[in-house]
Amino acid sequence: MTQTPTPTGSAAVTVRPAGTADLPAVSRVLATAFAADPVMATFVQGPGDRRSRLEGFFRAVLLSGPARHGAVDVAVDADGRVLGAAAWEAPGGSGHLLAQARRLPLFLASLGLLGIRRALRNQSVLAEHRPRPAHWYLTAIGVGDGARGLGVGSRLLDARLRELDARGDAAYLEASTPRSRALYETFGFRHLAAIRGLGAGVSPSSMWRPAV
């Protein structure tokens, strides 16, 4: 997937598929973007370098899901620097933290044993709201600090959703905040339900975008 570079702020931005060499940068960008995310705070908790553990968590998620059975898109500037990334799970993906047992060491390092139990419980809560019809699942989308407010996230969404529309595929996601929900609504996602059970004050919105 490619997109013609167009000006965003002071730099041209191109959306393209991520390669294996991009995954460390993708993990860093997502860790930065989700540092204060309320839903992610219910997954990655505890002492230590949280940013480093977030990177490890996202790397494990990417390698055991979207990078193997889905799609990872990156938005890069003219120098090839990753500004933002979006990870999608293809229809039929498991969506389970331990789908690939060989990634267990990465999950253990980022979550700890008790954290894995908590994450599995949270995944179960989220999975209860997943629609049954086949769909692409937006596992994570994020933009680095230096590129926020420049439309990078919208560009990532637009690029992938155009492909899904061309194939007649539906999409699903959870919006962590009212602000992100409003953005997704502009791309045709509609609110299904508030998701309860992740923790006090944490209630993401399940959102569905039907096939066109």
Side-chain angles (χ1 to χ4, degrees):
M1 178 182 62
T2 59
Q3 184 178 30
T4 303
T6 54
T8 296
S10 60
V13 174
T14 300
V15 175
R16 61 167 176 78
T20 301
D22 295 310
L23 295 185
V26 170
S27 299
R28 287 193 296 271
V29 164
L30 293 177
T32 297
F34 281 84
D37 181 79
V39 174
M40 188 54 57
T42 70
F43 281 81
V44 182
Q45 302 179 1
D49 184 348
R50 186 167 185 272
R51 185 63 60 90
S52 177
R53 289 188 294 114
L54 279 169
E55 285 188 31
F57 175 76
F58 279 115
R59 185 167 178 79
V61 169
L62 292 169
L63 290 172
S64 62
R68 291 175 55 86
H69 307 292
V72 181
D73 302 321
V74 290
V76 299
D77 63 16
D79 296 321
R81 183 172 63 96
V82 175
L83 306 177
W88 296 82
E89 182 184 288
S94 65
H96 196 285
L97 282 176
L98 301 182
Q100 297 295 327
R102 62 197 179 105
R103 303 302 175 189
L104 180 57
L106 281 174
F107 284 117
L108 277 171
S110 59
L111 299 174
L113 185 57
L114 291 179
I116 284 182
R117 293 175 59 187
R118 179 175 60 248
L120 289 172
R121 182 187 67 241
N122 288 349
Q123 286 283 59
S124 178
V125 170
L126 295 176
E128 289 176 1
H129 291 265
R130 292 275 294 270
R132 291 187 177 181
H135 61 272
W136 284 77
Y137 172 53
L138 181 58
T139 305
I141 183 170
V143 178
D145 286 338
R148 291 180 185 173
L150 301 179
V152 173
S154 293
R155 197 154 299 177
L156 284 162
L157 282 170
D158 182 68
R160 178 55 53 183
L161 292 175
R162 284 178 182 271
E163 290 210 356
L164 300 191
D165 288 347
R167 291 199 296 262
D169 290 343
Y172 174 78
L173 57 82
E174 297 104 10
S176 298
T177 66
R179 181 178 179 180
S180 62
R181 172 180 166 177
L183 170 65
Y184 297 134
E185 286 174 342
T186 67
F187 282 89
F189 287 89
R190 60 182 178 85
H191 170 76
L192 297 180
I195 300 174
R196 315 288 184 185
L198 295 176
V202 180
S203 182
S205 172
S206 62
M207 304 190 74
W208 176 253
R209 187 178 187 270
V212 296

